[in-house]
């Protein structure tokens, strides 16, 4: 049980663990590259350990110490050299990102393997990657559209060039298909209804792949990858702090009276920072400073001051740009004046939990009125949580959001099973405590 009590003003400056999305990709892309990659500020958490364990099971050696990951890849040919008649079962744990990205790499390499994971991961939809991969000629089958996924050897035959028009913008699906495209006989094109996070395109482009992004009529985004004629170059990166982790501390600073905090060197990729736009609409006291670019990714410091917030409406393309931040956003909405409405966010029902249902249910358990909508939620606002016990339903982001809700509540908020937080933000409790929050775990 993690207990967060009403706290004095938060203050201080801190650096955050490395970006989770970039850590996932950096580890896998290092294994796909030719040569030794070095990645600093690599996130050591449950979800990234699942990726590293899978790579180790595929025969890759790596070193990870003090946040520095070193891994030598041998290109797609190296993956094929490791192929066995019966491939390994790769445990992806709770991580859908690990499963979907690995699926793209296995498709490109043409090696046999099975992808499996926790009961929660087995409930996530995988038909959205399996069916497009099958259309490219990948010998893969799912279990009723879900994990486990079973890949058979492809014996080096190139995959078929395809154009995919996705019904829902998804960085994981897009990344899977682009990775498979590394072994295609022509360009692989992904069309999205709106821009999802573009870390895969940026990293692959920096490794020598030809990746083009362009807006097309109807507000859609077209991403095209040309299969590279030479192996991908290794990575030499220092990853920025994770914006999705920063989100909880940003909201903590906004709702706790008298607070002023600085979050250093946070990733500010515009495909990830929709929460800042939403909070700006609410009148939040946030300033970005020391902005620069680090290895192709925008980075900067985020200065947050306590601010009275006003309600807003979130829908359309903004939803995709803040899809992981809605638990934190909902807490800000509870403290805002007026009714906040979120629509066109049905994808939240397909996360680590049904985040619409679980979020509304747990907010109500601490005295915050929250109404579930088919594709979002409504929070009347101007509600100071009463406090109480909550169950995050095995969802790390829900656990952190509910903990933050206790900082300015009327009484303590007790979060059950807080160990799930280590899946994405190890040191969350220590970070909040270091800023002055009253925490007992």
């Amino acid at each position: 049980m993690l207990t967060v009590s009403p706290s004095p003003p938060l203050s201080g400056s801190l650096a955050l663990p490395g970006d989770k999305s970039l850590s996932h990709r950096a580890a896998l892309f290092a294994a796909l590259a030719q040569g030794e990659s070095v990645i600093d500020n690599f996130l050591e958490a449950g979800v990234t350990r699942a990726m590293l364990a899978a790579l180790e099971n595929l025969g890759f050696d790596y070193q990870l110490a003090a946040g520095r990951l070193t891994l030598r890849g041998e290109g797609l040919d190296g993956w094929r050299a490791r192929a066995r008649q019966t491939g390994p079962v790769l445990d992806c744990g709770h991580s859908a990102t690990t499963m979907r990205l690995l699926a793209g790499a296995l498709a490109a390499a043409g090696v046999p393997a099975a992808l499996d994971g926790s009961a929660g991961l087995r409930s996530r939809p995988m038909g959205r990657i399996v069916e497009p991969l099958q259309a490219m000629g990948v010998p893969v089958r799912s279990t009723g559209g879900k994990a486990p996924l079973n890949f058979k050897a492809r014996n080096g035959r190139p995959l078929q060039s395809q154009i995919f028009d996705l019904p829902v913008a998804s960085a994981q699906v897009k990344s899977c298909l682009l990775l498979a495209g590394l072994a295609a006989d022509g360009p692989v094109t992904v069309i999205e209804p709106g821009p999802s996070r573009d870390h895969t395109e940026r990293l692959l482009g920096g490794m020598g792949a030809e990746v083009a992004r362009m807006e097309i009529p109807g507000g859609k985004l077209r991403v095209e990858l040309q299969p590279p004629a030479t192996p991908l170059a290794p990575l030499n990166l220092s990853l920025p702090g994770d914006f999705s982790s920063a989100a909880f501390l940003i909201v903590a600073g906004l709702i706790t009276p008298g607070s002023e905090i600085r979050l250093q060197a946070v990733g500010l990729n515009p495909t990830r920072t929709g929460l800042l736009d939403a909070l700006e609409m609410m009148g939040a006291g946030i300033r970005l400073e020391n902005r620069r670019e680090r290895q192709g990714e925008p980075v900067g410091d985020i200065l947050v001051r306590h601010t009275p917030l006003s309600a807003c409406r979130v829908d359309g393309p903004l939803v995709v740009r803040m899809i992981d931040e809605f638990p934190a956003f909902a807490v800000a909405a509870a403290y805002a004046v007026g009714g906040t409405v979120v629509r066109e966010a049905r994808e939240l029902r397909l996360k680590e939990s049904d985040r619409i249902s679980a979020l509304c249910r747990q907010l109500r358990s601490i005295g915050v009125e929250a109404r579930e909508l088919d594709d979002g939620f409504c929070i009347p606002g101007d509600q100071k949580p009463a406090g109480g016990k909550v169950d995050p339903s095995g969802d790390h982001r829900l656990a952190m959001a509910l903990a933050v809700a206790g900082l300015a509540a009327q009484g303590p908020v007790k979060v059950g099973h807080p160990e799930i937080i280590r899946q994405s933000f190890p040191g969350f409790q220590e970070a909040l405590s270091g800023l002055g929050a009253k925490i007992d775990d």
Side-chain angles (χ1 to χ4, degrees):
M1 190 73 72
L2 173 67
T3 302
V4 180
S5 299
S7 297
L10 306 181
S11 64
S13 178
L14 57 84
L16 294 167
D19 186 274
K20 179 171 77 73
S21 292
L22 282 168
S23 293
H24 266 126
R25 288 161 173 78
L28 179 59
F29 295 6
L32 291 167
Q34 182 78 51
E36 183 176 88
S37 293
V38 179
I39 299 109
D40 285 314
N41 200 31
F42 184 87
L43 174 66
E44 299 182 59
V47 288
T48 55
R49 280 193 288 271
M51 175 66 82
L52 292 174
L55 293 175
E56 189 173 33
N57 205 355
L58 286 165
F60 292 95
D61 294 325
Y62 69 89
Q63 292 79 45
L64 180 58
R68 168 171 285 190
L69 174 69
T70 305
L71 190 152
R72 176 171 292 278
E74 299 170 4
L76 285 177
D77 289 340
W79 285 62
R80 293 168 185 142
R82 294 174 168 84
R84 291 170 270 180
Q85 191 64 32
T86 303
V89 176
L90 306 177
D91 183 359
C92 300
H94 300 290
S95 176
T97 304
T98 296
M99 180 169 287
R100 291 176 177 143
L101 267 62
L102 271 173
L106 292 171
V111 300
L115 298 177
D116 205 353
S118 67
L121 184 54
R122 281 189 170 196
S123 71
R124 306 282 292 275
M126 293 297 157
R128 55 178 60 182
I129 62 169
V130 169
E131 291 168 13
L133 290 177
Q134 289 172 338
M136 295 177 71
V138 178
V140 57
R141 59 180 175 83
S142 67
T143 306
K146 299 177 181 178
L149 308 182
N150 289 282
F151 289 80
K152 293 183 178 180
R154 200 178 70 252
N155 301 321
R157 294 190 304 275
L159 298 175
Q160 299 169 22
S161 171
Q162 294 280 346
I163 298 175
F164 299 106
D165 196 342
L166 303 184
V168 177
S170 168
Q172 293 178 12
V173 175
K174 174 181 62 179
S175 297
C176 173
L177 301 178
L178 294 178
L179 289 174
L182 295 173
D185 58 7
V188 169
T189 302
V190 179
I191 298 172
E192 297 185 291
S196 65
R197 60 188 64 180
D198 63 357
H199 300 308
T200 292
E201 298 97 299
R202 289 173 184 256
L203 279 175
L204 288 178
M207 299 171 78
E210 184 179 338
V211 187
R213 286 170 54 91
M214 66 191 76
E215 291 186 10
I216 59 176
K220 294 186 175 184
L221 186 74
R222 177 188 178 100
V223 182
E224 181 178 279
L225 178 136
Q226 294 282 350
T230 57
L232 297 174
L235 295 166
N236 191 340
L237 300 173
S238 179
L239 302 183
D242 192 319
F243 180 82
S244 293
S245 295
F248 301 101
L249 303 181
I250 291 170
V251 172
L254 290 174
I255 68 171
T256 309
S259 296
E260 181 172 332
I261 62 175
R262 179 182 294 272
L263 308 176
Q264 305 167 11
V266 178
L268 296 176
N269 185 308
T271 64
R272 292 279 301 280
T273 55
L275 176 68
L276 294 182
D277 295 343
L279 292 175
E280 182 180 3
M281 289 191 290
M282 300 174 84
I286 298 174
R287 192 166 73 237
L288 303 181
E289 299 182 340
N290 194 22
R291 302 182 71 168
R292 67 258 192 213
E293 191 167 287
R294 180 190 290 178
Q295 286 99 24
E297 288 282 347
V299 176
D301 296 349
I302 303 176
L303 182 65
V304 183
R305 292 190 178 94
H306 166 68
T307 320
L309 301 174
S310 300
C312 73
R313 180 185 177 94
V314 174
D315 54 20
L318 183 56
V319 169
V320 180
R321 295 178 49 239
M322 58 182 290
I323 195 66
D324 285 337
E325 284 70 61
F326 278 106
F329 173 75
V331 172
Y335 282 90
V337 175
T340 292
V341 178
V342 172
R343 301 304 301 253
E344 300 179 46
R346 192 173 285 103
E347 189 73 6
L348 289 172
R349 295 195 182 276
L350 304 174
K351 292 293 184 176
E352 284 81 345
S353 65
D354 177 340
R355 279 195 181 147
I356 294 175
S357 177
L359 180 59
C360 292
R361 184 172 61 253
Q362 296 307 318
L363 285 175
R364 288 194 296 267
S365 73
I366 56 173
V368 173
E369 185 180 347
R371 183 163 59 90
E372 183 177 340
L373 306 174
D374 177 57
D375 62 347
F377 54 85
C378 176
I379 298 177
D382 203 14
Q383 304 179 74
K384 200 170 187 179
K389 294 182 179 180
V390 293
D391 179 358
S393 305
D395 188 326
H396 53 112
R397 299 197 194 282
L398 190 55
M400 288 184 278
L402 293 167
V404 166
L407 292 170
Q410 300 175 58
V413 171
K414 299 178 182 292
V415 182
H417 308 288
E419 65 279 357
I420 193 66
I421 291 172
R422 294 197 292 270
Q423 286 294 311
S424 66
F425 192 171
F428 167 75
Q429 293 96 313
E430 291 81 1
L432 269 183
S433 180
L435 293 172
K438 296 176 66 176
I439 293 181
D440 183 20
D441 58 359

mmCIF file with all atom_site columns, all heavy atoms in Angstrom, residues 200-214:
data_model
loop_
_atom_site.group_PDB
_atom_site.id
_atom_site.type_symbol
_atom_site.label_atom_id
_atom_site.label_alt_id
_atom_site.label_comp_id
_atom_site.label_asym_id
_atom_site.label_entity_id
_atom_site.label_seq_id
_atom_site.pdbx_PDB_ins_code
_atom_site.Cartn_x
_atom_site.Cartn_y
_atom_site.Cartn_z
_atom_site.occupancy
_atom_site.B_iso_or_equiv
_atom_site.pdbx_formal_charge
_atom_site.auth_seq_id
_atom_site.auth_comp_id
_atom_site.auth_asym_id
_atom_site.auth_atom_id
_atom_site.pdbx_PDB_model_num
ATOM 1   N N   . THR A 1 200 ? 10.137 6.117  -34.030 1.00 0.00 ? 200 THR A N   1
ATOM 2   C CA  . THR A 1 200 ? 10.671 5.092  -34.934 1.00 0.00 ? 200 THR A CA  1
ATOM 3   C C   . THR A 1 200 ? 11.224 5.731  -36.197 1.00 0.00 ? 200 THR A C   1
ATOM 4   O O   . THR A 1 200 ? 12.339 5.395  -36.641 1.00 0.00 ? 200 THR A O   1
ATOM 5   C CB  . THR A 1 200 ? 9.569  4.071  -35.275 1.00 0.00 ? 200 THR A CB  1
ATOM 6   O OG1 . THR A 1 200 ? 9.258  3.323  -34.096 1.00 0.00 ? 200 THR A OG1 1
ATOM 7   C CG2 . THR A 1 200 ? 10.016 3.114  -36.366 1.00 0.00 ? 200 THR A CG2 1
ATOM 8   N N   . GLU A 1 201 ? 10.474 6.657  -36.782 1.00 0.00 ? 201 GLU A N   1
ATOM 9   C CA  . GLU A 1 201 ? 10.945 7.299  -38.001 1.00 0.00 ? 201 GLU A CA  1
ATOM 10  C C   . GLU A 1 201 ? 12.231 8.081  -37.758 1.00 0.00 ? 201 GLU A C   1
ATOM 11  O O   . GLU A 1 201 ? 13.167 8.045  -38.566 1.00 0.00 ? 201 GLU A O   1
ATOM 12  C CB  . GLU A 1 201 ? 9.877  8.256  -38.538 1.00 0.00 ? 201 GLU A CB  1
ATOM 13  C CG  . GLU A 1 201 ? 8.570  7.570  -38.928 1.00 0.00 ? 201 GLU A CG  1
ATOM 14  C CD  . GLU A 1 201 ? 7.510  7.629  -37.853 1.00 0.00 ? 201 GLU A CD  1
ATOM 15  O OE1 . GLU A 1 201 ? 7.766  7.084  -36.759 1.00 0.00 ? 201 GLU A OE1 1
ATOM 16  O OE2 . GLU A 1 201 ? 6.443  8.205  -38.090 1.00 0.00 ? 201 GLU A OE2 1
ATOM 17  N N   . ARG A 1 202 ? 12.298 8.799  -36.653 1.00 0.00 ? 202 ARG A N   1
ATOM 18  C CA  . ARG A 1 202 ? 13.492 9.593  -36.352 1.00 0.00 ? 202 ARG A CA  1
ATOM 19  C C   . ARG A 1 202 ? 14.712 8.695  -36.148 1.00 0.00 ? 202 ARG A C   1
ATOM 20  O O   . ARG A 1 202 ? 15.804 8.974  -36.670 1.00 0.00 ? 202 ARG A O   1
ATOM 21  C CB  . ARG A 1 202 ? 13.257 10.443 -35.104 1.00 0.00 ? 202 ARG A CB  1
ATOM 22  C CG  . ARG A 1 202 ? 12.279 11.604 -35.310 1.00 0.00 ? 202 ARG A CG  1
ATOM 23  C CD  . ARG A 1 202 ? 11.968 12.300 -33.985 1.00 0.00 ? 202 ARG A CD  1
ATOM 24  N NE  . ARG A 1 202 ? 10.986 13.345 -34.114 1.00 0.00 ? 202 ARG A NE  1
ATOM 25  C CZ  . ARG A 1 202 ? 11.249 14.648 -34.110 1.00 0.00 ? 202 ARG A CZ  1
ATOM 26  N NH1 . ARG A 1 202 ? 12.501 15.061 -34.008 1.00 0.00 ? 202 ARG A NH1 1
ATOM 27  N NH2 . ARG A 1 202 ? 10.281 15.533 -34.220 1.00 0.00 ? 202 ARG A NH2 1
ATOM 28  N N   . LEU A 1 203 ? 14.538 7.613  -35.368 1.00 0.00 ? 203 LEU A N   1
ATOM 29  C CA  . LEU A 1 203 ? 15.677 6.732  -35.102 1.00 0.00 ? 203 LEU A CA  1
ATOM 30  C C   . LEU A 1 203 ? 16.129 6.012  -36.359 1.00 0.00 ? 203 LEU A C   1
ATOM 31  O O   . LEU A 1 203 ? 17.334 5.965  -36.666 1.00 0.00 ? 203 LEU A O   1
ATOM 32  C CB  . LEU A 1 203 ? 15.305 5.717  -34.020 1.00 0.00 ? 203 LEU A CB  1
ATOM 33  C CG  . LEU A 1 203 ? 15.372 6.191  -32.570 1.00 0.00 ? 203 LEU A CG  1
ATOM 34  C CD1 . LEU A 1 203 ? 14.855 5.096  -31.643 1.00 0.00 ? 203 LEU A CD1 1
ATOM 35  C CD2 . LEU A 1 203 ? 16.798 6.573  -32.173 1.00 0.00 ? 203 LEU A CD2 1
ATOM 36  N N   . LEU A 1 204 ? 15.194 5.430  -37.105 1.00 0.00 ? 204 LEU A N   1
ATOM 37  C CA  . LEU A 1 204 ? 15.582 4.710  -38.316 1.00 0.00 ? 204 LEU A CA  1
ATOM 38  C C   . LEU A 1 204 ? 16.230 5.651  -39.327 1.00 0.00 ? 204 LEU A C   1
ATOM 39  O O   . LEU A 1 204 ? 17.200 5.280  -40.005 1.00 0.00 ? 204 LEU A O   1
ATOM 40  C CB  . LEU A 1 204 ? 14.364 4.022  -38.941 1.00 0.00 ? 204 LEU A CB  1
ATOM 41  C CG  . LEU A 1 204 ? 13.814 2.811  -38.194 1.00 0.00 ? 204 LEU A CG  1
ATOM 42  C CD1 . LEU A 1 204 ? 12.581 2.257  -38.913 1.00 0.00 ? 204 LEU A CD1 1
ATOM 43  C CD2 . LEU A 1 204 ? 14.868 1.713  -38.055 1.00 0.00 ? 204 LEU A CD2 1
ATOM 44  N N   . GLY A 1 205 ? 15.715 6.878  -39.427 1.00 0.00 ? 205 GLY A N   1
ATOM 45  C CA  . GLY A 1 205 ? 16.326 7.851  -40.324 1.00 0.00 ? 205 GLY A CA  1
ATOM 46  C C   . GLY A 1 205 ? 17.752 8.161  -39.929 1.00 0.00 ? 205 GLY A C   1
ATOM 47  O O   . GLY A 1 205 ? 18.644 8.274  -40.786 1.00 0.00 ? 205 GLY A O   1
ATOM 48  N N   . GLY A 1 206 ? 18.001 8.269  -38.624 1.00 0.00 ? 206 GLY A N   1
ATOM 49  C CA  . GLY A 1 206 ? 19.355 8.526  -38.148 1.00 0.00 ? 206 GLY A CA  1
ATOM 50  C C   . GLY A 1 206 ? 20.295 7.342  -38.325 1.00 0.00 ? 206 GLY A C   1
ATOM 51  O O   . GLY A 1 206 ? 21.516 7.495  -38.274 1.00 0.00 ? 206 GLY A O   1
ATOM 52  N N   . MET A 1 207 ? 19.738 6.167  -38.530 1.00 0.00 ? 207 MET A N   1
ATOM 53  C CA  . MET A 1 207 ? 20.543 4.955  -38.716 1.00 0.00 ? 207 MET A CA  1
ATOM 54  C C   . MET A 1 207 ? 20.778 4.643  -40.190 1.00 0.00 ? 207 MET A C   1
ATOM 55  O O   . MET A 1 207 ? 21.373 3.619  -40.526 1.00 0.00 ? 207 MET A O   1
ATOM 56  C CB  . MET A 1 207 ? 19.859 3.766  -38.030 1.00 0.00 ? 207 MET A CB  1
ATOM 57  C CG  . MET A 1 207 ? 19.696 3.937  -36.528 1.00 0.00 ? 207 MET A CG  1
ATOM 58  S SD  . MET A 1 207 ? 18.654 2.653  -35.768 1.00 0.00 ? 207 MET A SD  1
ATOM 59  C CE  . MET A 1 207 ? 19.819 1.276  -35.708 1.00 0.00 ? 207 MET A CE  1
ATOM 60  N N   . GLY A 1 208 ? 20.280 5.531  -41.065 1.00 0.00 ? 208 GLY A N   1
ATOM 61  C CA  . GLY A 1 208 ? 20.556 5.367  -42.487 1.00 0.00 ? 208 GLY A CA  1
ATOM 62  C C   . GLY A 1 208 ? 19.395 4.919  -43.334 1.00 0.00 ? 208 GLY A C   1
ATOM 63  O O   . GLY A 1 208 ? 19.513 4.825  -44.559 1.00 0.00 ? 208 GLY A O   1
ATOM 64  N N   . ALA A 1 209 ? 18.246 4.639  -42.728 1.00 0.00 ? 209 ALA A N   1
ATOM 65  C CA  . ALA A 1 209 ? 17.077 4.251  -43.514 1.00 0.00 ? 209 ALA A CA  1
ATOM 66  C C   . ALA A 1 209 ? 16.436 5.491  -44.129 1.00 0.00 ? 209 ALA A C   1
ATOM 67  O O   . ALA A 1 209 ? 16.502 6.591  -43.576 1.00 0.00 ? 209 ALA A O   1
ATOM 68  C CB  . ALA A 1 209 ? 16.068 3.504  -42.651 1.00 0.00 ? 209 ALA A CB  1
ATOM 69  N N   . GLU A 1 210 ? 15.805 5.312  -45.281 1.00 0.00 ? 210 GLU A N   1
ATOM 70  C CA  . GLU A 1 210 ? 15.109 6.410  -45.945 1.00 0.00 ? 210 GLU A CA  1
ATOM 71  C C   . GLU A 1 210 ? 13.638 6.365  -45.535 1.00 0.00 ? 210 GLU A C   1
ATOM 72  O O   . GLU A 1 210 ? 12.893 5.475  -45.945 1.00 0.00 ? 210 GLU A O   1
ATOM 73  C CB  . GLU A 1 210 ? 15.241 6.269  -47.461 1.00 0.00 ? 210 GLU A CB  1
ATOM 74  C CG  . GLU A 1 210 ? 14.635 7.425  -48.238 1.00 0.00 ? 210 GLU A CG  1
ATOM 75  C CD  . GLU A 1 210 ? 14.789 7.270  -49.743 1.00 0.00 ? 210 GLU A CD  1
ATOM 76  O OE1 . GLU A 1 210 ? 15.684 6.521  -50.167 1.00 0.00 ? 210 GLU A OE1 1
ATOM 77  O OE2 . GLU A 1 210 ? 13.985 7.887  -50.485 1.00 0.00 ? 210 GLU A OE2 1
ATOM 78  N N   . VAL A 1 211 ? 13.242 7.326  -44.694 1.00 0.00 ? 211 VAL A N   1
ATOM 79  C CA  . VAL A 1 211 ? 11.873 7.391  -44.185 1.00 0.00 ? 211 VAL A CA  1
ATOM 80  C C   . VAL A 1 211 ? 11.316 8.770  -44.489 1.00 0.00 ? 211 VAL A C   1
ATOM 81  O O   . VAL A 1 211 ? 11.915 9.773  -44.119 1.00 0.00 ? 211 VAL A O   1
ATOM 82  C CB  . VAL A 1 211 ? 11.810 7.128  -42.665 1.00 0.00 ? 211 VAL A CB  1
ATOM 83  C CG1 . VAL A 1 211 ? 10.365 7.035  -42.204 1.00 0.00 ? 211 VAL A CG1 1
ATOM 84  C CG2 . VAL A 1 211 ? 12.563 5.857  -42.290 1.00 0.00 ? 211 VAL A CG2 1
ATOM 85  N N   . ALA A 1 212 ? 10.170 8.810  -45.173 1.00 0.00 ? 212 ALA A N   1
ATOM 86  C CA  . ALA A 1 212 ? 9.543  10.085 -45.532 1.00 0.00 ? 212 ALA A CA  1
ATOM 87  C C   . ALA A 1 212 ? 8.202  10.210 -44.829 1.00 0.00 ? 212 ALA A C   1
ATOM 88  O O   . ALA A 1 212 ? 7.423  9.259  -44.792 1.00 0.00 ? 212 ALA A O   1
ATOM 89  C CB  . ALA A 1 212 ? 9.357  10.165 -47.043 1.00 0.00 ? 212 ALA A CB  1
ATOM 90  N N   . ARG A 1 213 ? 7.940  11.400 -44.261 1.00 0.00 ? 213 ARG A N   1
ATOM 91  C CA  . ARG A 1 213 ? 6.659  11.705 -43.612 1.00 0.00 ? 213 ARG A CA  1
ATOM 92  C C   . ARG A 1 213 ? 6.048  12.909 -44.317 1.00 0.00 ? 213 ARG A C   1
ATOM 93  O O   . ARG A 1 213 ? 6.740  13.894 -44.576 1.00 0.00 ? 213 ARG A O   1
ATOM 94  C CB  . ARG A 1 213 ? 6.860  12.049 -42.133 1.00 0.00 ? 213 ARG A CB  1
ATOM 95  C CG  . ARG A 1 213 ? 7.181  10.886 -41.254 1.00 0.00 ? 213 ARG A CG  1
ATOM 96  C CD  . ARG A 1 213 ? 7.606  11.349 -39.855 1.00 0.00 ? 213 ARG A CD  1
ATOM 97  N NE  . ARG A 1 213 ? 6.660  12.232 -39.207 1.00 0.00 ? 213 ARG A NE  1
ATOM 98  C CZ  . ARG A 1 213 ? 5.680  11.823 -38.414 1.00 0.00 ? 213 ARG A CZ  1
ATOM 99  N NH1 . ARG A 1 213 ? 5.505  10.533 -38.181 1.00 0.00 ? 213 ARG A NH1 1
ATOM 100 N NH2 . ARG A 1 213 ? 4.856  12.679 -37.839 1.00 0.00 ? 213 ARG A NH2 1
ATOM 101 N N   . MET A 1 214 ? 4.769  12.821 -44.629 1.00 0.00 ? 214 MET A N   1
ATOM 102 C CA  . MET A 1 214 ? 4.119  13.967 -45.256 1.00 0.00 ? 214 MET A CA  1
ATOM 103 C C   . MET A 1 214 ? 2.641  13.983 -44.901 1.00 0.00 ? 214 MET A C   1
ATOM 104 O O   . MET A 1 214 ? 2.013  12.932 -44.751 1.00 0.00 ? 214 MET A O   1
ATOM 105 C CB  . MET A 1 214 ? 4.302  13.919 -46.775 1.00 0.00 ? 214 MET A CB  1
ATOM 106 C CG  . MET A 1 214 ? 3.601  12.752 -47.450 1.00 0.00 ? 214 MET A CG  1
ATOM 107 S SD  . MET A 1 214 ? 4.080  12.546 -49.189 1.00 0.00 ? 214 MET A SD  1
ATOM 108 C CE  . MET A 1 214 ? 5.689  11.796 -48.986 1.00 0.00 ? 214 MET A CE  1
#
